[in-house]
């Protein structure tokens, strides 16, 4: 194996999916896994099988659906976890068990009420136990970022001796400085006997905005696997973003680090993950943000028009942004919509395409420029097809000096319910009418975010909502050119998550 090959380990479906409100069902996970395969990732971490039947099933189904990347399943250093992970991986062409334990003094003392020697023994035992099932065993030293380097080297050496093929050095809390993280990897490369029998992996969190910088420092000091997610999604401030690392080594050829990533597929996958997880990409996000290649100042525009490289270090086409894309309007045909969806990584069967096209025509009547976000929203609408409660009709009157009043019709598993309510503004009236229609007013809205996708008064508004019901939080989402309708739809979306 050439030592400038960098293995890309994608954990969008495990660490990324832990974000509240971003959970995907198995079908959606398979869709993402297939797209990751065609992007060229080397390893897909598909879940934590012992954590839930849903995660177990996803690992099984992704193992069946994907051919060449290794499929990885997470465990704690616990035999039961490892047994369940091995069972979930039984259809994987290449299966990897990712086991591990906290190694920082704080984890050892407060999480495990243990000591360094005992933790070392557990690490070795878990590695050996996983090795009974699969050849490819990755060991993670949780909170390695705050683990004493000498002890970290002892654990690394011991698990390699026990058969670990990869040792993961997570900066679990996102605390390290880039120099410090790079020095940690260098220390391990220089002080661990047998280090060349395994690969060191980076796994950096972004709490201080340094995940990508730390990952790059890790690679420059000898790590040859990076654990990353699409759009950098992940708990709290997220994980290292795949697209940033891939484009850093694509742009800095002098570093002589090679990945297997087909960079032209980055943009469509970023959009797919954002749409499926209802997780907007910040406009100024490096590589995939809406403004990443938008030059608005006159000086920049002039420079780019004369020579793109004056202000752009990456050709947008290299990440799959097709600036010659067909502009979709009310006069565009099905083929144009199909092409645009294909560019965005979405393939629809004929009946779904027909449905999306009808929705598209309705939207195009109301909105002049239909952009990629609009199109993905249209396709996303189909995800409500399985909802037991559907908002069929909404009419609201409101205005200055008027009491807001809303009338709704809900379809409750085939039964129509009509209700009306007044409220302190149009959204309040609509929500109260929905509550009356389902004869349940026990839910309260905790968070309510309305976001315009682009600009212009005809823009589509996205609504994210957190609804508290009996002490649990449920997430609702919708997008509509009518923000009152989007708000009511998001509320109904949340209700569908807990109603039987
Ligand atoms: O951040 C972390 O330490 C992890 C491990 C479980 C690999 O996600
Ligand atoms: Zn993590």
């Amino acid at each position: 194996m050439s030592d400038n090959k960098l293995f890309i380990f994608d954990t969008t479906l495990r660490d990324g999916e832990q974000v509240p409100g971003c959970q995907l069902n198995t079908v959606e996970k398979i869709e993402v896994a297939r797209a990751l395969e065609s992007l060229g990732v080397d390893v897909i971490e598909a879940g934590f099988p012992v954590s839930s039947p849903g995660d177990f099933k996803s690992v099984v189904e992704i193992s069946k659906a994907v051919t060449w990347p290794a499929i990885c399943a997470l465990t704690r250093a616990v035999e039961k976890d490892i047994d369940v992970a091995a069972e979930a991986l039984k259809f994987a062409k290449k299966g990897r068990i990712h086991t591990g334990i906290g190694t920082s003094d704080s984890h050892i003392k407060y999480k495990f009420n243990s000591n360094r020697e005992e933790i070392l023994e557990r690490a070795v035992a878990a590695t050996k136990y996983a090795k009974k099932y699969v050849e490819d065993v990755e060991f993670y030293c949780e909170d390695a970022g705050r683990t004493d380097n000498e002890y970290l080297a002892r654990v690394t050496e011991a698990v390699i001796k026990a058969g670990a093929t990869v040792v993961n050095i997570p900066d679990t809390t996102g605390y390290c400085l880039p120099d410090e993280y790079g020095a940690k990897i260098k220390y391990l490369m220089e002080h661990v006997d047998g280090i060349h029998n395994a690969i060191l992996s980076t796994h950096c969190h972004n709490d201080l905005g340094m995940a990508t910088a730390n990952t790059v420092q890790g690679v420059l000091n000898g790590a040859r696997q990076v654990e990353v997610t699409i759009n950098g999604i992940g708990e709290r401030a997220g994980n290292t973003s795949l697209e940033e690392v891939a484009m850093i080594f694509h742009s800095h050829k002098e570093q002589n680090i090679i990945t297997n990533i087909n960079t032209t597929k980055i943009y469509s996958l970023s959009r797919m993950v954002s749409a499926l997880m209802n997780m907007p990409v910040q406009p100024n996000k490096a590589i995939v943000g809406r403004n990443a290649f938008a030059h608005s100042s006159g000086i920049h525009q002039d420079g780019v028009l004369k020579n793109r490289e004056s202000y752009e270090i990456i050709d947008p086409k290299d990440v799959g942004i097709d600036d010659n894309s067909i502009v979709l309007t009310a006069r565009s045909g099905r083929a144009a919509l199909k092409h645009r969806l294909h560019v965005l990584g979405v393939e629809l069967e004929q009946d779904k395409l027909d449905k999306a096209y009808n929705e598209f025509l309705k939207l195009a009547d109301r909105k002049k420029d239909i952009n990629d976000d609009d199109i993905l929203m249209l396709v996303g609408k189909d995800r409500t097809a399985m909802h037991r409660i559907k908002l069929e009709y909404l009419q609201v009157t409101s205005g200055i000096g008027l009491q807001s009043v809303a009338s709704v019709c809900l379809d409750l598993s085939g039964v129509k319910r009509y209700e009306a309510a007044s409220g302190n503004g149009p959204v309040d009236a609509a929500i109260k009418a929905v509550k009356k229609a389902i004869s349940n007013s026990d839910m309260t809205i905790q968070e309510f975010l309305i976001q315009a996708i682009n600009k212009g008064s005809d823009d589509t508004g996205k609504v994210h909502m957190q609804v508290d019901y009996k002490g649990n939080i449920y997430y609702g989402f919708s997008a509509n050119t009518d923000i009152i309708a989007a708000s009511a739809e998001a509320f109904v979306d949340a209700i569908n998550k807990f109603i039987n």
Side-chain angles (χ1 to χ4, degrees), residues 120-250:
L120 188 73
E121 277 169 29
R122 283 182 65 180
V124 168
T127 306
K128 286 187 176 158
Y129 193 75
K131 221 42 200 184
K132 291 203 304 195
Y133 288 113
V134 287
E135 172 48 32
D136 193 5
V137 173
E138 173 168 342
F139 187 87
Y140 64 86
C141 304
E142 195 178 4
D143 205 18
R146 295 186 299 171
T147 300
D148 162 54
N149 283 351
E150 220 176 290
Y151 179 62
L152 190 59
R154 281 184 64 206
V155 177
T156 304
E157 192 167 307
V159 295
I160 293 175
K161 230 184 199 161
T165 45
V166 180
V167 184
N168 178 11
I169 309 298
D171 183 20
T172 306
T173 58
Y175 176 74
C176 284
L177 293 168
D179 276 3
E180 195 184 351
Y181 190 76
K184 193 174 277 291
I185 299 293
K186 187 167 192 278
Y187 183 90
L188 297 175
M189 293 300 293
E190 289 172 353
H191 291 84
V192 170
D193 265 359
I195 191 71
H196 297 292
N197 298 327
I199 289 173
L200 285 185
S201 181
T202 67
H203 178 114
C204 298
H205 280 267
N206 204 31
D207 299 67
L208 292 172
M210 294 189 291
T212 299
N214 285 348
T215 298
V216 169
Q217 277 305 314
V219 174
L220 298 182
N221 283 284
R224 282 297 175 268
Q225 176 179 281
V226 288
E227 305 195 4
V228 288
T229 60
I230 299 293
N231 300 335
I233 62 161
E235 259 189 310
R236 309 186 309 276
N239 289 59
T240 306
S241 90
L242 183 152
E243 60 277 6
E244 290 173 16
V245 176
M247 291 315 291
I248 285 168
F249 291 113
H250 180 87

Side-chain angles (χ1 to χ4, degrees), residues 326-332 360-371 374-375 454-460 481:
I326 303 163
V327 176
L328 293 178
T329 68
R331 282 180 293 284
S332 302
F360 160 76
L361 289 179
K362 281 188 222 158
L363 181 63
D365 271 347
R366 286 176 279 145
K367 194 168 188 287
K368 199 162 52 151
D369 298 322
I370 306 290
N371 58 42
D374 294 326
I375 291 168
N454 284 298
K455 42 188 182 256
S457 55
D458 62 350
D459 197 6
T460 302
T481 47

Side-chain angles (χ1 to χ4, degrees), residues 386-390 410-413 434-435 437-443 467 469-470 472 474-475 491-500:
M386 303 304 285
H387 281 179
R388 299 195 56 234
I389 299 182
K390 293 191 182 114
L410 258 55
D411 180 321
L412 310 179
S413 304
V434 170
K435 285 181 176 175
I438 60 168
S439 310
N440 191 336
S441 57
D442 288 349
M443 53 294 258
V467 175
Y469 182 63
K470 297 190 170 165
N472 292 318
Y474 299 89
Y475 293 79
F491 186 62
V492 172
D493 185 38
I495 293 172
N496 272 288
K497 309 263 166 72
F498 57 79
I499 221 83
N500 297 313

